[in-house]
Amino acid sequence: MDSVESSDQRRATVSQREQWMVQDQVFQIYDIFANIPHKTRTLMLELQRDNHIEYLTRGLKQLSSSFVVLDANRPWLCYWILHSIALLGESIDYELENNVIDFLKHCQDPNGGYGGGPGQMPHLATTYAAVNSLITLGGRRALSSINRGKLYAFLRGMKDPSGAFRMHDAGEIDVRACYTAISVASILNILDDELIKGVGNYILSCQTYEGGIAGEPGSEAHASQRSMDLIIRYTFCGLAAMILINEANRLDLAGLLDWVVFRQGVECGFQGRTNKLVDGCYSFWQGGVFALLKGLHSVDGEHVALSDAEEGDSATDGTSEGEDGNSLETDETCHIKQGVGDGEMAPLFHSVALQQYIILCSQEQEGGFRDKPGKARDYYHTCYCLSGLSVCQYSQSKDEHSPPLPRAVLGPYSNLLEPVHPLYNVVLKQYQEAHEFFSSQSTS
């Protein structure tokens, strides 16, 4: 047996070895959790709110010199931190809030849009981040600082004759550009037929044979990929943009659903694309897709629901009851329930298992969240792990006004976060304030 295993190891690819290593790290955490006293398990499942707030607030005030590589992403840093704080139900003090508003004003280009920092060229990605930051702050001073007339002109300038958008002047055309442009225009109440024209055709051309959505025609379906200056989330972006322009029914929704369902792996978290490693940030980029599909009510005419298995089903799906009535995994596989029968409430992903990965494998006890065990915490993963956690917690709720049942929240009910608007990824009450504000304002 040993010689066979050694032979298999020798033939393994680099990707296989990396996958096995991650699985070993994750399963060790789950094994430790399963074999410690009840009181300690309860502590391990607790969201370390105070430590997260301290970590986030410190970063908003001062960053180390190592962050110079993110100089073109400074509005993103504002958004990741502010959104995380809002999800935790907290806010920043008046002085710090004004400092953020003033900083983002200096990032706003005189001709519209926001750059990655003062004096930098306007870019759709950082425009999205800046607008979401200001909406998250809320209040008249923050919201009125956005020059919607000039921003609309910037969006029109980024519109390509193909119908898609460029990220910046002479920049790349992709699904991410389409989403950021449409999202900003929608939330600011400046979306019109000129901006919408041709967007649906472009996104439709990016859906692949797998069912997911690529960044551009002919590329691989992706949920998300990060590089030094780009934040890319193709499948989420494509679906969200199509919903915002009321053309989601043009997509192969059944294929998209099939693709995203199988991105939840044995570690209980999500991968971004086929044969890639689990990553905490995909908790939102993939989990958020389910929230969007739930809002569509049906896929190919069949009912879709995102609730977990009803109580009493755990014996049949490989889980057992844990603390606070939560269903925890007892084997090495996250059992993803699938299928949409007539009138059935079919859970499309295992939300409690995903919460398990986020809290036990991505959460840093000292504050912040990480990609996976062995990685360092950062603001990006903190934002999207918390966003994904919120999506999980509210996935069984019938509507935005219904609080989750205790069994939908892994760990103590004090872990409950604020609900997000899944199309924009801003906290729901901040979205509602912005919607009312911009609905009553002219664009001049």
Side-chain angles (χ1 to χ4, degrees), residues 9-21 275 277:
Q9 289 285 348
R10 285 195 299 270
R11 289 196 299 266
T13 66
V14 172
S15 297
Q16 285 175 313
R17 293 192 186 98
E18 290 178 345
Q19 175 63 32
W20 293 337
M21 182 178 69
N275 294 328
L277 300 177

Side-chain angles (χ1 to χ4, degrees), residues 51-64 66-67 70 76-85 226 281 367-370 376-387:
N51 292 343
H52 297 318
I53 292 294
E54 181 182 353
Y55 167 68
L56 292 161
T57 305
R58 186 169 64 248
L60 197 58
K61 292 178 178 178
Q62 182 69 48
L63 294 172
S64 68
S66 65
F67 281 86
L70 293 175
W76 278 113
L77 287 163
C78 291
Y79 168 62
W80 297 332
I81 294 173
L82 291 170
H83 181 51
S84 297
I85 292 172
R226 301 176 311 282
C281 72
F369 289 77
R370 60 191 179 183
R377 65 184 180 179
D378 60 65
Y379 300 110
Y380 171 86
H381 284 92
T382 299
C383 171
Y384 293 108
C385 283
L386 287 172
S387 297

Side-chain angles (χ1 to χ4, degrees), residues 247-431:
E247 295 186 25
N249 63 325
R250 298 182 64 195
L251 292 167
D252 175 8
L253 292 175
L256 190 152
L257 172 62
D258 188 65
W259 180 83
V260 73
V261 159
F262 285 100
R263 301 285 71 77
Q264 188 171 23
V266 296
E267 307 88 355
C268 301
F270 280 103
Q271 61 179 187
R273 53 194 169 109
T274 306
N275 294 328
K276 301 301 289 185
L277 300 177
V278 66
D279 186 330
C281 72
Y282 301 136
S283 302
F284 177 76
W285 297 131
Q286 303 287 33
V289 170
F290 292 111
L292 298 179
L293 289 171
K294 178 183 179 181
L296 292 176
H297 301 301
S298 66
V299 174
D300 283 357
E302 295 185 303
H303 186 77
V304 173
L306 299 183
S307 59
D308 283 315
E310 296 294 331
E311 289 185 279
D313 287 349
S314 60
T316 64
D317 69 3
T319 60
S320 63
E321 288 300 309
E323 275 67 64
D324 304 299
N326 294 123
S327 179
L328 297 180
E329 296 301 316
T330 56
D331 63 12
E332 295 182 351
T333 303
C334 295
H335 296 268
I336 307 167
K337 292 184 173 294
Q338 200 180 356
V340 281
D342 293 337
E344 294 179 2
M345 297 292 285
L348 304 179
F349 77 113
H350 202 313
S351 67
V352 172
L354 181 55
Q355 291 177 68
Q356 178 180 315
Y357 178 82
I358 295 168
I359 295 174
L360 296 182
C361 300
S362 287
Q363 178 175 230
E364 289 275 6
Q365 294 296 309
E366 295 78 20
F369 289 77
R370 60 191 179 183
D371 165 347
K372 59 177 67 70
K375 299 288 187 178
R377 65 184 180 179
D378 60 65
Y379 300 110
Y380 171 86
H381 284 92
T382 299
C383 171
Y384 293 108
C385 283
L386 287 172
S387 297
L389 191 60
S390 174
V391 167
C392 288
Q393 293 172 343
Y394 291 88
S395 64
Q396 296 187 53
S397 300
K398 293 181 179 179
D399 57 61
E400 62 192 42
H401 304 294
S402 301
L405 296 172
R407 67 182 176 86
V409 180
L410 181 62
Y413 201 70
S414 59
N415 281 0
L416 184 64
L417 299 172
E418 294 293 317
V420 298
H421 193 303
L423 284 169
Y424 310 101
N425 198 21
V426 294
V427 168
L428 192 58
K429 62 184 179 183
Q430 263 85 3
Y431 162 77

Side-chain angles (χ1 to χ4, degrees), residues 70-80 103-104 107-108 113-117 120-134 151 154 167-168 176 180 184 229-231 233:
L70 293 175
D71 181 63
N73 284 286
R74 292 164 74 182
W76 278 113
L77 287 163
C78 291
Y79 168 62
W80 297 332
F103 167 72
L104 292 173
C107 295
Q108 189 167 203
Y114 291 79
Q120 296 185 27
M121 65 184 294
H123 192 287
L124 276 174
T126 46
T127 296
Y128 168 89
V131 168
N132 276 13
S133 295
L134 293 164
L151 200 153
F154 167 66
M167 291 304 302
H168 56 86
R176 173 183 51 123
T180 49
V184 164
D229 63 344
L230 301 177
I231 311 299
R233 41 213 179 273

